[in-house]
Amino acid sequence: MPHAGDALPTAPNPGEFRWAAARGTAGFIRSAPDAAGRWWLLDAHDRAFFCKAVHGVRATDGSLNPAARLRQWGFNAGGVGGDGTARADGLAFFATADFCGAGPLIHAAGARLPDVFAPDWPQRATLHALTHCAPLASDRLLLGWLADDALGWAQPDPHTAHPSASDVAGLPPGTRAIRPTLLQICLSLEPSFAAYHAAWEFVFALHGGKLAAVARAWGTPLANKEVVRELTRAEHGLATRGYLRDAARWTREFARRYFSSTAAAIRAADPHHLVLGARGVGPAGASVLAECIGPAIDLPLLDWNELPPAAAIAAGPLLANDVCWADEDFFRAPAGPLQRLTSVERMLRRGRAALARTARHPAVVGYVWRQWLDEPGEQPPFARGLVHINGTEAREHTELLAAFNARAETVRCAARPGVATAEIIPA
């Protein structure tokens, strides 16, 4: 099975790459586009590969060790959150700097972020990275650094963008029965958080320094600042157009500070490895994605469902994160031919097609399956792990993934950026 370090006859040769556009350091895993404009990962010897990784790899009660199972299924890397067995076996691996542990943490109502507005945050981040990142600076199997795992950006849920009358009945004006978003959360923090003061300064600067002007712009009665905190405690999310416009601006400013400061700290401690952004819980949203780009981020790890269209890609590589087809969108019954299939058949057919589209995307250099083990309460065949709680293989996933992994480079080489292609892997 192909893995980082193996020569891949279907991948481009080193002489076929546009090295002037490469990201990363020679002699370590880096990324570069080939002559056709498709981005690839390259190992320390500049051999191209398509990343096929899994988050949370750890030992179970199965007869095979995790690394042996990964190789058997054609995977070549371990993601984050595991016990290190993938790295110990010589596979490529991801590492997490865990900047959420570097200082005051905003952790409430869907938000989990370091307070990047604290005056001493840059110094805290730099010292933290020296402790966590510097020890791996010479490791040639390290694929790249994630600033954090399990971030929460508390972004609006697109499914609640257009509430029904029942959603808003009895709620305070301008609110909705949804979780508060990041700006509202920051406005409701204790004054000991720098982000609290920064958030209020931000909204006052947009509205002439007057709370009454903020209330008018948001279409929400605000007798004083405490009103916002009371709404947040009651989980009444501000949701007017005026508020959401300001909230998007605030989130983008927060994301800009987060990604620029963490990337600078990582590079100061480890100048050799790729910076991958961060892994969040749920979709990050457009405001965050707009800042998870170069020059701060070398190779963004983006949610599989948030990959931009291939035709609209700016120059630069991407990794498809949290790939998994055990979700309703993949097995619900549509109108048409797929309606005659079972739920499992629909799930697998759609999953196979989605994987092929991912491999053909000119910017995507690999993918990471969402989780190694099923979570408690998940029921096969719609559980999301590659290994069940009892240690047995989730064949409904592994057989399809192994078949795809064996020919992912072939699928990628067959694609032509900017040209519509038919499905390469038969349905």
Side-chain angles (χ1 to χ4, degrees):
M1 293 295 178
H3 63 277
D6 281 350
L8 299 172
T10 55
N13 296 316
E16 300 177 54
F17 285 95
R18 301 174 183 172
W19 293 112
R23 299 188 179 186
T25 303
F28 295 83
I29 294 178
R30 55 178 174 162
S31 184
D34 62 19
R38 296 167 299 222
W39 284 84
W40 293 83
L41 286 170
L42 300 111
D43 68 9
H45 303 285
D46 285 339
R47 293 175 294 197
F49 67 101
F50 188 76
C51 177
K52 293 156 274 190
V54 185
H55 286 309
V57 178
R58 56 175 55 86
T60 64
D61 294 332
S63 58
L64 292 176
N65 67 59
R69 284 181 155 184
L70 285 173
R71 294 183 188 277
Q72 175 186 337
W73 301 328
F75 288 98
N76 55 23
V80 298
D83 61 6
T85 56
R87 173 191 174 192
D89 200 69
L91 291 167
F93 67 99
F94 295 69
T96 306
D98 189 25
F99 284 101
C100 280
L105 182 66
I106 300 169
H107 195 188
R112 183 177 182 271
L113 294 159
D115 188 350
V116 297
F117 294 89
D120 64 345
W121 169 250
Q123 292 77 21
R124 284 178 176 267
T126 298
L127 291 174
H128 184 85
L130 287 172
T131 300
H132 287 73
C133 303
L136 295 178
S138 62
D139 196 316
R140 298 181 189 274
L141 288 176
L142 174 58
L143 196 148
W145 283 103
L146 289 169
D148 277 295
D149 187 18
L151 280 187
W153 287 100
Q155 291 303 283
D157 185 345
H159 299 294
T160 59
H162 305 287
S164 64
S166 61
D167 291 327
V168 297
L171 296 179
T175 67
R176 199 182 302 165
I178 60 174
R179 199 166 57 183
T181 54
L182 184 59
L183 175 57
Q184 183 178 341
I185 291 168
C186 290
L187 294 171
S188 305
L189 293 170
E190 294 300 320
S192 58
F193 283 91
Y196 166 81
H197 301 283
W200 278 110
E201 290 173 4
F202 180 85
V203 297
F204 282 145
L206 292 175
H207 303 289
K210 302 293 185 180
L211 187 60
V214 175
R216 285 195 300 272
W218 293 358
T220 304
L222 297 175
N224 50 55
K225 293 181 179 180
E226 188 63 24
V227 171
V228 179
R229 183 174 283 126
E230 291 172 358
L231 291 172
T232 304
R233 287 172 178 164
E235 296 190 354
H236 292 155
L238 292 165
T240 63
R241 287 187 178 182
Y243 166 78
L244 292 175
R245 182 172 55 248
D246 291 352
R249 293 172 180 169
W250 170 255
T251 297
R252 185 158 182 174
E253 173 61 18
F254 203 121
R256 184 190 66 79
R257 287 173 176 258
Y258 172 81
F259 288 120
S260 62
S261 63
T262 56
I266 290 171
R267 291 192 175 101
D270 177 0
H272 304 308
H273 291 104
L274 296 166
V275 178
L276 310 177
R279 184 187 182 205
V281 177
S287 296
V288 175
L289 297 181
E291 297 298 330
C292 188
I293 56 174
I297 307 303
D298 296 312
L299 202 167
L301 185 75
L302 301 184
D303 189 281
W304 194 31
N305 297 310
E306 292 187 300
L307 293 178
I313 272 293
L318 307 169
L319 274 163
N321 186 45
D322 284 340
V323 170
C324 183
W325 47 68
D327 296 309
E328 184 180 355
D329 287 346
F330 284 88
F331 55 77
R332 71 169 184 267
L338 288 182
Q339 189 174 22
R340 296 192 297 269
L341 301 177
T342 67
S343 296
V344 174
E345 289 171 335
R346 284 193 295 270
M347 176 180 73
L348 297 181
R349 180 169 295 191
R350 284 170 167 157
R352 182 167 52 237
L355 271 179
R357 287 194 299 272
T358 300
R360 294 197 305 266
H361 195 301
V364 174
V365 298
Y367 76 93
V368 191
W369 184 262
R370 178 167 179 167
Q371 62 196 57
W372 175 252
L373 280 173
D374 292 346
E375 293 180 358
E378 291 186 337
Q379 295 296 321
F382 304 114
R384 292 173 289 186
L386 301 186
V387 178
H388 297 314
I389 296 297
N390 63 3
T392 61
E393 174 183 350
R395 292 185 178 275
E396 60 273 17
H397 300 321
T398 58
E399 290 182 355
L400 190 158
L401 287 165
F404 170 79
N405 288 345
R407 60 185 307 189
E409 288 79 15
T410 301
V411 173
R412 187 156 187 76
C413 283
R416 294 291 180 267
V419 177
T421 56
E423 182 59 75
I424 295 173
I425 298 180

